Each structure stands twice: as C-alpha cells, then as structure tokens.
C-alpha cells in the first residue's frame, strides 16, 4: 500500500483488543480542515493574468508576526478538491517583522525599475520568476506557516 504524505492529512495508528483478545491494528487517515483561523496571515487577493510581470498575491497580517515563518506555494487541486503534493513553485518570505493590519504583496516577476512603494501595501517582495506562476485553471495558492525546519548542505 502506498501513502502520500502532506500537511493536509493526519495519520494515526491504534491497537484495539476485540472480544477474541486478538490485537487489531487500525490505520486512520483523516483529512485536516483548514487551520486558517490559527494563521497569522491570510491571502486576500490573487491577480493572475498569465504574465509574470503583472501577477501578484496580496496578504494581510492578522496578528503581529515575522514573515520568515511563512511560505507560499503554487500547487494544484486534486479531483476531490484537495491540495496535491505537487508543488511547482515555492517562495519563503525573508525576515521581516509585520504588524496586524499591514499588507504584504508578492509579485511573481522581477523587480522593476521605478517606484517601489504601492498605496495600501506595506511590504513588497519579488519572486523573480521569468514566467507566470498562476497560469493554469487548476492552480492553488497555499500559504504555510512554518514552525521549524532543518537545512542540510548536500
């Protein structure tokens, strides 16, 4: 049996003793609900038109936090409307303290020459992608809160 692990599933094992006193192992795979209510940021707008220089995602800070604990991925929806494990693009935000109510914009394309401030946006970041990220009908923008990670040089 093959299992695909993702942050959207919790896998638990249990041992039960039925009437015949023979242990039975039970595998439970339960799909987790969104935990957006516990997140300190949320996605509020996705402007996708197939052009990397025009695409962006706006986020709102719900609770004072450091953006370095957040990452955004471009994945796809599965047939059952869940999120797949196929993350095509990954962006980890840099270290930046942010306060409740502030807005964050992640532009898909490269940093353009000209003004670097946008009305209503407190922090502006660039993914530096050459091509569009939000260009397929089945794309899903997923925001992750990272509590811990390990990096090992290969």
């Amino acid at each position: 049996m093959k299992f695909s692990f993702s942050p959207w599933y919790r896998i638990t094992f249990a041992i039960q003793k039925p009437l015949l006193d023979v242990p039975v192992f039970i595998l439970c795979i339960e799909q987790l609900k969104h935990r957006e209510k516990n997140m300190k940021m949320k996605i509020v707008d996705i402007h996708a038109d197939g052009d990397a220089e025009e695409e962006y995602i706006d986020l709102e800070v719900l609770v004072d936090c450091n953006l370095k604990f957040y990452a955004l991925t471009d994945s796809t929806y599965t047939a059952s409307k869940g999120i797949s494990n196929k993350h095509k693009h990954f962006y980890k935000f840099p270290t930046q303290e942010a306060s409740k109510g502030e807005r964050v914009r992640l532009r898909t394309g490269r940093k353009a020459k000209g003004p670097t401030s946008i009305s209503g946006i407190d922090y502006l970041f660039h993914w530096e992608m050459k091509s569009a990220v939000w260009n397929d009908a089945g794309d899903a923008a997923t925001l992750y809160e990272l509590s811990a990670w390990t990096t090992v040089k290969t």
Side-chain angles (χ1 to χ4, degrees), residues 10 18-19 21 33 36 52 59 66 74 85 92 101 109 125 141:
R10 177 181 15 234
L19 295 175
D21 212 25
K33 301 289 183 194
E36 186 175 306
L59 302 107
N66 194 314
D74 163 29
N85 270 340
K92 183 182 174 299
F125 300 99

Side-chain angles (χ1 to χ4, degrees), residues 47 49 51-59 72 91 93 104-112 115-118 121 123-134:
H47 179 80
D49 69 357
D51 180 356
E53 299 307 318
E54 299 297 323
E55 287 186 343
Y56 61 84
I57 290 189
D58 285 345
L59 302 107
L72 190 72
Y91 182 86
F93 286 93
V104 176
R105 177 168 289 176
L106 175 60
R107 296 193 64 86
T108 301
R110 298 176 180 175
K111 191 179 282 189
T116 56
S117 63
I118 299 169
I121 300 297
Y123 304 102
L124 177 63
F125 300 99
H126 292 82
W127 210 329
E128 300 291 331
M129 302 294 286
K130 293 178 183 177
S131 58
V133 171
W134 316 109

Side-chain angles (χ1 to χ4, degrees), residues 63-146:
V63 177
D64 293 1
C65 65
N66 194 314
L67 302 182
K68 74 177 182 180
F69 295 111
Y70 285 87
L72 190 72
T73 65
D74 163 29
S75 58
T76 55
Y77 278 105
T78 63
S80 62
K81 303 293 185 208
I83 303 295
S84 78
N85 270 340
K86 295 180 181 178
H87 300 290
K88 298 181 275 183
H89 304 93
F90 181 89
Y91 182 86
K92 183 182 174 299
F93 286 93
T95 299
Q96 175 64 59
E97 291 294 332
S99 300
K100 179 180 179 179
E102 290 184 319
R103 301 279 294 234
V104 176
R105 177 168 289 176
L106 175 60
R107 296 193 64 86
T108 301
R110 298 176 180 175
K111 191 179 282 189
K113 293 180 182 175
T116 56
S117 63
I118 299 169
S119 177
I121 300 297
D122 299 288
Y123 304 102
L124 177 63
F125 300 99
H126 292 82
W127 210 329
E128 300 291 331
M129 302 294 286
K130 293 178 183 177
S131 58
V133 171
W134 316 109
N135 54 354
D136 295 324
D139 283 347
T142 307
L143 179 65
Y144 291 94
E145 183 173 356
L146 310 170

Side-chain angles (χ1 to χ4, degrees), residues 3 19 29 37 39 42 102 108-109 111 143 154:
F3 292 100
L19 295 175
I29 302 174
K37 65 181 179 243
M39 300 273 289
K42 71 176 182 177
E102 290 184 319
T108 301
K111 191 179 282 189
L143 179 65
T154 58

